[in-house]
Every structure is written in structure tokens, then in C-alpha cells.
Amino acid sequence: MIVTTAELYKVAYGKFAVGAYNINNAEQTMGLFRGCIDSEAPFIIQISKGARKYTDKRMLEAIIRTAEEIFPKAVFAVHLDHGDEETCYDCIDSGFYSSVMIDASHEDFDTNIAITRRVVDRAHAKGISVEAELGMLGGVEEDIQVDEGHACLTNPDEAVEFMKRSGCDALAAAIGTSHGAYKFKGQQSLHFEVIEAIAKNVKEAGLPPTPIVMHGSSSVPKEEVRRINAAGGTLDPTACGVNEDEYLPAAKLGVTKVNIDTDGRLVWTRVHREFFRDKPGEFDFRPPGKTFQDEYAKFIAHKNEKLGSAHKLAEVHQVLGK
Ligand code: G3H
Ligand code: 13P
Ligand code: ZN
């Protein structure tokens, strides 16, 4: 069942985080749905601009609609990840997406607000919610001075002004994470103080509780990197991601959507590298594709446990009355 992203936020806010997983093809989609059914978790499917171009945007829609038929118990929303203005309008007009992300975080503050406001007006007219980004996600390196590191993070005072003026429904905030496999060297903690300050400011400003979105949430498991490299990969073994045990504490403070893509790519890379290392004469892509679907389902179920979204399907049905 496709629900709106706002409905999922309503159930999850302050209690658990909903996993937002990127998909590009049928294998990922099958693994994602199976993992979420196995763990009884609601979820958000994310489609990036790159994913829409990889085959054809209509292909992804067809795959998702078919997965919905194969897994009738699945409860999920469909979201555009890191959209520009034009792609947001295309998704809003398609009638398929539950929510869009307008990413104008590279623009100056006022331009970011103006672009986001235009997208919000078009989206809200069709009942679609909007995620917008404030602050620049980037590696907050261990050896960077604290002040410099903080310069990348979302400013909680600006966040309230941004939300008021842009009208966005969810805020992608820079709280110490970055995209990809090389987030930081050595374990680092999320900036919980920034999450807390944003939530506090929102409350004091009389705004409704605003879900905070955490991009760059992959944990880059050491064991996954080790296996990839043992099978011929050359990933930096010191690469490190977000501590999975911090997902839930962040969720309790208002992080309601957690974006995970890289970790799934690592699963794909590990499965395929090991398969072709062990069977160098093989050229049928279905055996590793099958293994990938199984491994991806296990990976998704594990993430949902860490996010606190596992075993929440009954509650979702009860709260939403459907
Ligand atoms: O944050 C970006 C996501 O990981 C999607 O990546 O643009 O390569 O599809 P992509
Ligand atoms: P990762 O690269 O950490 O998986 O982040 C994905 C993401 O933020 C998608 O928007
Ligand atoms: Zn992202």
C-alpha cells in the first residue's frame, strides 16, 4: 500500500525513524520489499535523478507497482531524492510520488528559500509534501578544527527561519554526516546538540514538530569493506560511517527519515565480487542476482531493527486507520 510520507512521519515522529532506501532496479526492489515484510517495517523508497536516468523513470514506477502486487502487506511512500526544481515538478505532476526533495542547499540562504517555496506551492496544491535541505553535508574530518567542522552543520536559528519562510514539511539537516563510503576516518558521533537545538527552536517558534531528515546515514560496515577488498576491491579500509546504534537516539530527538544507499551498494559489490572470484568461469548473472536479493533483504531487515521501524506495521495500520 502506498501511503503519503506525511502519514509515515505522523506515526514515527519522536519514536522511531523510517528507513529511506534508494532503488535503481528490480533486484534492489525485491530485496527491499522482502526485507521490510520480513521485519514488518514501513519504509520510504527513494528515487534519485540518476536512478530515473539509469533505465527509464517509467521502468522504476512499473517495478514499484508490481512489487506492491507481489507484497500486498508492504506499507511505503515513494520519494524523489535530491531533486532540482524541474525534476520536482515532473514528479509532482506524475501523480506517483508521495513526496519530493528539493535540494537547493548549494544556493545562498534566500535563493534556497525562494526555490523551495516555489516547489512547496506546486507540491502542496497536489497534496505532496516537500523535504528541503539547509546546511552543507560534508565530511567533518577528525583533524578539522571544531569551529570549521561546525561551519558545515545546519544553524538551528536559520533552520526555523528557513522552515517558516519556505513552508517545507521536512528538513534535511547537516548534523555531521556526508554521502558515500568515505564519511570520516575513525568513528565520529552525530551532532545530537544540533538536532536538539533545531527541535527546541521549532517548538519555541510555535511551528508543528518538523521531521528532520538525516542524509548520508550509511554505516559502511568494516566487515563488508574487508570482504570486498579480499575479493579484489580497493576500498579504503579506514573508511567509516554512522554508528548504527545512534539511529534510534537521533530518532527520539526528531530524526524521522534516515537515508541509506551506500551500504546497499556495498552489499551488491561484495556479493558480485565474491561470486565471480569463486566462479571465474561463470557468466550467468542470475545466480549472483538471486544471492544479492537474499542478502539485501537481510541487510534491510537489520537496518530496520536499528532504526526502530521493525515490527511497527500493526501500529501504522492502527494510527492511519487503513
Ligand atoms: O545521495 C545520493 C544517493 O546515494 C543517490 O545516489 O545520485 O548516484 O543515484 P545517485
Ligand atoms: P549514504 O551515501 O550514506 O548511503 O546516504 C544516502 C543518501 O543520503 C541518499 O539521499
Ligand atoms: Zn542524500
PDB file of all heavy atoms in Angstrom, residues 26 29-30 33 43 45 61-74 76:
ATOM      1  N   ALA A  26      15.203  -3.921 -10.417  1.00  0.00           N
ATOM      2  CA  ALA A  26      14.258  -4.908  -9.873  1.00  0.00           C
ATOM      3  C   ALA A  26      14.856  -5.697  -8.708  1.00  0.00           C
ATOM      4  O   ALA A  26      14.157  -5.995  -7.731  1.00  0.00           O
ATOM      5  CB  ALA A  26      13.830  -5.869 -10.985  1.00  0.00           C
ATOM      6  N   THR A  29      14.742  -3.702  -5.585  1.00  0.00           N
ATOM      7  CA  THR A  29      13.349  -3.524  -5.164  1.00  0.00           C
ATOM      8  C   THR A  29      12.830  -4.794  -4.495  1.00  0.00           C
ATOM      9  O   THR A  29      12.178  -4.728  -3.443  1.00  0.00           O
ATOM     10  CB  THR A  29      12.466  -3.164  -6.379  1.00  0.00           C
ATOM     11  OG1 THR A  29      13.094  -2.089  -7.078  1.00  0.00           O
ATOM     12  CG2 THR A  29      11.073  -2.749  -5.954  1.00  0.00           C
ATOM     13  N   MET A  30      13.116  -5.957  -5.079  1.00  0.00           N
ATOM     14  CA  MET A  30      12.668  -7.218  -4.489  1.00  0.00           C
ATOM     15  C   MET A  30      13.279  -7.405  -3.095  1.00  0.00           C
ATOM     16  O   MET A  30      12.581  -7.787  -2.158  1.00  0.00           O
ATOM     17  CB  MET A  30      13.064  -8.401  -5.388  1.00  0.00           C
ATOM     18  CG  MET A  30      12.243  -8.530  -6.649  1.00  0.00           C
ATOM     19  SD  MET A  30      10.482  -8.812  -6.337  1.00  0.00           S
ATOM     20  CE  MET A  30      10.495 -10.527  -5.825  1.00  0.00           C
ATOM     21  N   PHE A  33      11.608  -4.852  -0.558  1.00  0.00           N
ATOM     22  CA  PHE A  33      10.257  -5.225  -0.120  1.00  0.00           C
ATOM     23  C   PHE A  33      10.305  -6.450   0.793  1.00  0.00           C
ATOM     24  O   PHE A  33       9.641  -6.487   1.828  1.00  0.00           O
ATOM     25  CB  PHE A  33       9.350  -5.502  -1.333  1.00  0.00           C
ATOM     26  CG  PHE A  33       8.706  -4.243  -1.881  1.00  0.00           C
ATOM     27  CD1 PHE A  33       9.448  -3.316  -2.598  1.00  0.00           C
ATOM     28  CD2 PHE A  33       7.363  -3.978  -1.677  1.00  0.00           C
ATOM     29  CE1 PHE A  33       8.873  -2.156  -3.095  1.00  0.00           C
ATOM     30  CE2 PHE A  33       6.771  -2.818  -2.169  1.00  0.00           C
ATOM     31  CZ  PHE A  33       7.518  -1.909  -2.889  1.00  0.00           C
ATOM     32  N   PHE A  43       8.363   1.760   5.158  1.00  0.00           N
ATOM     33  CA  PHE A  43       9.608   2.270   4.569  1.00  0.00           C
ATOM     34  C   PHE A  43       9.317   3.333   3.514  1.00  0.00           C
ATOM     35  O   PHE A  43       8.173   3.510   3.088  1.00  0.00           O
ATOM     36  CB  PHE A  43      10.442   1.126   3.980  1.00  0.00           C
ATOM     37  CG  PHE A  43       9.763   0.315   2.893  1.00  0.00           C
ATOM     38  CD1 PHE A  43      10.110   0.471   1.554  1.00  0.00           C
ATOM     39  CD2 PHE A  43       8.780  -0.609   3.201  1.00  0.00           C
ATOM     40  CE1 PHE A  43       9.504  -0.288   0.553  1.00  0.00           C
ATOM     41  CE2 PHE A  43       8.151  -1.376   2.214  1.00  0.00           C
ATOM     42  CZ  PHE A  43       8.514  -1.211   0.898  1.00  0.00           C
ATOM     43  N   ILE A  45      10.671   4.501  -0.291  1.00  0.00           N
ATOM     44  CA  ILE A  45      11.512   4.203  -1.454  1.00  0.00           C
ATOM     45  C   ILE A  45      11.990   5.532  -1.993  1.00  0.00           C
ATOM     46  O   ILE A  45      11.187   6.442  -2.221  1.00  0.00           O
ATOM     47  CB  ILE A  45      10.693   3.513  -2.569  1.00  0.00           C
ATOM     48  CG1 ILE A  45      10.178   2.162  -2.091  1.00  0.00           C
ATOM     49  CG2 ILE A  45      11.537   3.368  -3.827  1.00  0.00           C
ATOM     50  CD1 ILE A  45       9.362   1.444  -3.158  1.00  0.00           C
ATOM     51  N   GLU A  61       8.751   3.095 -11.901  1.00  0.00           N
ATOM     52  CA  GLU A  61       7.355   3.161 -11.452  1.00  0.00           C
ATOM     53  C   GLU A  61       6.690   1.795 -11.652  1.00  0.00           C
ATOM     54  O   GLU A  61       5.976   1.293 -10.772  1.00  0.00           O
ATOM     55  CB  GLU A  61       6.603   4.255 -12.228  1.00  0.00           C
ATOM     56  CG  GLU A  61       5.187   4.415 -11.739  1.00  0.00           C
ATOM     57  CD  GLU A  61       4.439   5.589 -12.374  1.00  0.00           C
ATOM     58  OE1 GLU A  61       5.091   6.562 -12.825  1.00  0.00           O
ATOM     59  OE2 GLU A  61       3.201   5.531 -12.402  1.00  0.00           O
ATOM     60  N   ALA A  62       6.941   1.182 -12.806  1.00  0.00           N
ATOM     61  CA  ALA A  62       6.331  -0.129 -13.094  1.00  0.00           C
ATOM     62  C   ALA A  62       6.850  -1.193 -12.129  1.00  0.00           C
ATOM     63  O   ALA A  62       6.090  -2.042 -11.647  1.00  0.00           O
ATOM     64  CB  ALA A  62       6.637  -0.527 -14.541  1.00  0.00           C
ATOM     65  N   ILE A  63       8.148  -1.138 -11.833  1.00  0.00           N
ATOM     66  CA  ILE A  63       8.733  -2.116 -10.895  1.00  0.00           C
ATOM     67  C   ILE A  63       8.086  -1.972  -9.514  1.00  0.00           C
ATOM     68  O   ILE A  63       7.723  -2.952  -8.864  1.00  0.00           O
ATOM     69  CB  ILE A  63      10.273  -1.930 -10.811  1.00  0.00           C
ATOM     70  CG1 ILE A  63      10.945  -2.411 -12.105  1.00  0.00           C
ATOM     71  CG2 ILE A  63      10.850  -2.676  -9.611  1.00  0.00           C
ATOM     72  CD1 ILE A  63      12.435  -2.089 -12.181  1.00  0.00           C
ATOM     73  N   ILE A  64       7.932  -0.729  -9.094  1.00  0.00           N
ATOM     74  CA  ILE A  64       7.360  -0.494  -7.754  1.00  0.00           C
ATOM     75  C   ILE A  64       5.900  -0.948  -7.713  1.00  0.00           C
ATOM     76  O   ILE A  64       5.461  -1.603  -6.759  1.00  0.00           O
ATOM     77  CB  ILE A  64       7.501   0.992  -7.360  1.00  0.00           C
ATOM     78  CG1 ILE A  64       8.976   1.335  -7.169  1.00  0.00           C
ATOM     79  CG2 ILE A  64       6.713   1.299  -6.091  1.00  0.00           C
ATOM     80  CD1 ILE A  64       9.282   2.815  -7.079  1.00  0.00           C
ATOM     81  N   ARG A  65       5.143  -0.621  -8.736  1.00  0.00           N
ATOM     82  CA  ARG A  65       3.725  -1.028  -8.765  1.00  0.00           C
ATOM     83  C   ARG A  65       3.609  -2.562  -8.762  1.00  0.00           C
ATOM     84  O   ARG A  65       2.718  -3.125  -8.115  1.00  0.00           O
ATOM     85  CB  ARG A  65       3.027  -0.448  -9.991  1.00  0.00           C
ATOM     86  CG  ARG A  65       2.826   1.054  -9.896  1.00  0.00           C
ATOM     87  CD  ARG A  65       1.537   1.498 -10.577  1.00  0.00           C
ATOM     88  NE  ARG A  65       1.402   2.946 -10.620  1.00  0.00           N
ATOM     89  CZ  ARG A  65       0.926   3.693  -9.627  1.00  0.00           C
ATOM     90  NH1 ARG A  65       0.530   3.127  -8.494  1.00  0.00           N
ATOM     91  NH2 ARG A  65       0.837   5.003  -9.753  1.00  0.00           N
ATOM     92  N   THR A  66       4.524  -3.219  -9.449  1.00  0.00           N
ATOM     93  CA  THR A  66       4.494  -4.691  -9.478  1.00  0.00           C
ATOM     94  C   THR A  66       4.895  -5.252  -8.115  1.00  0.00           C
ATOM     95  O   THR A  66       4.276  -6.206  -7.622  1.00  0.00           O
ATOM     96  CB  THR A  66       5.434  -5.221 -10.585  1.00  0.00           C
ATOM     97  OG1 THR A  66       5.053  -4.604 -11.812  1.00  0.00           O
ATOM     98  CG2 THR A  66       5.326  -6.727 -10.730  1.00  0.00           C
ATOM     99  N   ALA A  67       5.902  -4.641  -7.490  1.00  0.00           N
ATOM    100  CA  ALA A  67       6.324  -5.101  -6.160  1.00  0.00           C
ATOM    101  C   ALA A  67       5.168  -4.955  -5.168  1.00  0.00           C
ATOM    102  O   ALA A  67       4.965  -5.805  -4.293  1.00  0.00           O
ATOM    103  CB  ALA A  67       7.536  -4.300  -5.687  1.00  0.00           C
ATOM    104  N   GLU A  68       4.396  -3.903  -5.340  1.00  0.00           N
ATOM    105  CA  GLU A  68       3.244  -3.682  -4.453  1.00  0.00           C
ATOM    106  C   GLU A  68       2.240  -4.840  -4.589  1.00  0.00           C
ATOM    107  O   GLU A  68       1.637  -5.265  -3.608  1.00  0.00           O
ATOM    108  CB  GLU A  68       2.582  -2.351  -4.841  1.00  0.00           C
ATOM    109  CG  GLU A  68       1.580  -1.857  -3.833  1.00  0.00           C
ATOM    110  CD  GLU A  68       0.834  -0.624  -4.329  1.00  0.00           C
ATOM    111  OE1 GLU A  68       1.022  -0.204  -5.494  1.00  0.00           O
ATOM    112  OE2 GLU A  68       0.046  -0.083  -3.544  1.00  0.00           O
ATOM    113  N   GLU A  69       2.105  -5.357  -5.795  1.00  0.00           N
ATOM    114  CA  GLU A  69       1.200  -6.501  -6.014  1.00  0.00           C
ATOM    115  C   GLU A  69       1.784  -7.781  -5.429  1.00  0.00           C
ATOM    116  O   GLU A  69       1.084  -8.598  -4.841  1.00  0.00           O
ATOM    117  CB  GLU A  69       0.979  -6.723  -7.515  1.00  0.00           C
ATOM    118  CG  GLU A  69      -0.031  -5.785  -8.131  1.00  0.00           C
ATOM    119  CD  GLU A  69      -0.149  -6.015  -9.636  1.00  0.00           C
ATOM    120  OE1 GLU A  69       0.055  -7.160 -10.083  1.00  0.00           O
ATOM    121  OE2 GLU A  69      -0.426  -5.033 -10.343  1.00  0.00           O
ATOM    122  N   ILE A  70       3.108  -7.938  -5.592  1.00  0.00           N
ATOM    123  CA  ILE A  70       3.762  -9.164  -5.085  1.00  0.00           C
ATOM    124  C   ILE A  70       3.763  -9.183  -3.549  1.00  0.00           C
ATOM    125  O   ILE A  70       3.650 -10.239  -2.939  1.00  0.00           O
ATOM    126  CB  ILE A  70       5.214  -9.261  -5.628  1.00  0.00           C
ATOM    127  CG1 ILE A  70       5.209  -9.307  -7.159  1.00  0.00           C
ATOM    128  CG2 ILE A  70       5.945 -10.486  -5.076  1.00  0.00           C
ATOM    129  CD1 ILE A  70       6.587  -9.152  -7.795  1.00  0.00           C
ATOM    130  N   PHE A  71       3.900  -7.988  -2.957  1.00  0.00           N
ATOM    131  CA  PHE A  71       3.964  -7.879  -1.488  1.00  0.00           C
ATOM    132  C   PHE A  71       2.807  -7.003  -1.003  1.00  0.00           C
ATOM    133  O   PHE A  71       3.009  -5.830  -0.643  1.00  0.00           O
ATOM    134  CB  PHE A  71       5.299  -7.253  -1.049  1.00  0.00           C
ATOM    135  CG  PHE A  71       6.511  -8.041  -1.466  1.00  0.00           C
ATOM    136  CD1 PHE A  71       7.176  -7.761  -2.655  1.00  0.00           C
ATOM    137  CD2 PHE A  71       6.994  -9.077  -0.669  1.00  0.00           C
ATOM    138  CE1 PHE A  71       8.304  -8.488  -3.043  1.00  0.00           C
ATOM    139  CE2 PHE A  71       8.123  -9.803  -1.046  1.00  0.00           C
ATOM    140  CZ  PHE A  71       8.775  -9.519  -2.231  1.00  0.00           C
ATOM    141  N   PRO A  72       1.584  -7.529  -0.973  1.00  0.00           N
ATOM    142  CA  PRO A  72       0.417  -6.698  -0.644  1.00  0.00           C
ATOM    143  C   PRO A  72       0.433  -6.140   0.778  1.00  0.00           C
ATOM    144  O   PRO A  72      -0.292  -5.185   1.068  1.00  0.00           O
ATOM    145  CB  PRO A  72      -0.774  -7.638  -0.869  1.00  0.00           C
ATOM    146  CG  PRO A  72      -0.214  -9.011  -0.888  1.00  0.00           C
ATOM    147  CD  PRO A  72       1.214  -8.913  -1.284  1.00  0.00           C
ATOM    148  N   LYS A  73       1.267  -6.710   1.657  1.00  0.00           N
ATOM    149  CA  LYS A  73       1.296  -6.206   3.046  1.00  0.00           C
ATOM    150  C   LYS A  73       2.257  -5.025   3.216  1.00  0.00           C
ATOM    151  O   LYS A  73       2.296  -4.413   4.283  1.00  0.00           O
ATOM    152  CB  LYS A  73       1.713  -7.328   3.997  1.00  0.00           C
ATOM    153  CG  LYS A  73       0.650  -8.410   4.110  1.00  0.00           C
ATOM    154  CD  LYS A  73       0.892  -9.267   5.337  1.00  0.00           C
ATOM    155  CE  LYS A  73      -0.300 -10.194   5.541  1.00  0.00           C
ATOM    156  NZ  LYS A  73       0.110 -11.570   5.815  1.00  0.00           N
ATOM    157  N   ALA A  74       3.027  -4.707   2.189  1.00  0.00           N
ATOM    158  CA  ALA A  74       4.018  -3.635   2.323  1.00  0.00           C
ATOM    159  C   ALA A  74       3.339  -2.271   2.448  1.00  0.00           C
ATOM    160  O   ALA A  74       2.355  -1.986   1.759  1.00  0.00           O
ATOM    161  CB  ALA A  74       4.944  -3.637   1.109  1.00  0.00           C
ATOM    162  N   PHE A  76       4.411   1.725   2.274  1.00  0.00           N
ATOM    163  CA  PHE A  76       5.570   2.546   1.895  1.00  0.00           C
ATOM    164  C   PHE A  76       5.145   3.836   1.189  1.00  0.00           C
ATOM    165  O   PHE A  76       4.020   3.956   0.702  1.00  0.00           O
ATOM    166  CB  PHE A  76       6.501   1.743   0.983  1.00  0.00           C
ATOM    167  CG  PHE A  76       5.869   1.303  -0.319  1.00  0.00           C
ATOM    168  CD1 PHE A  76       6.088   2.026  -1.483  1.00  0.00           C
ATOM    169  CD2 PHE A  76       5.058   0.184  -0.375  1.00  0.00           C
ATOM    170  CE1 PHE A  76       5.499   1.630  -2.683  1.00  0.00           C
ATOM    171  CE2 PHE A  76       4.457  -0.214  -1.564  1.00  0.00           C
ATOM    172  CZ  PHE A  76       4.682   0.503  -2.723  1.00  0.00           C
TER     173      PHE A  76
END
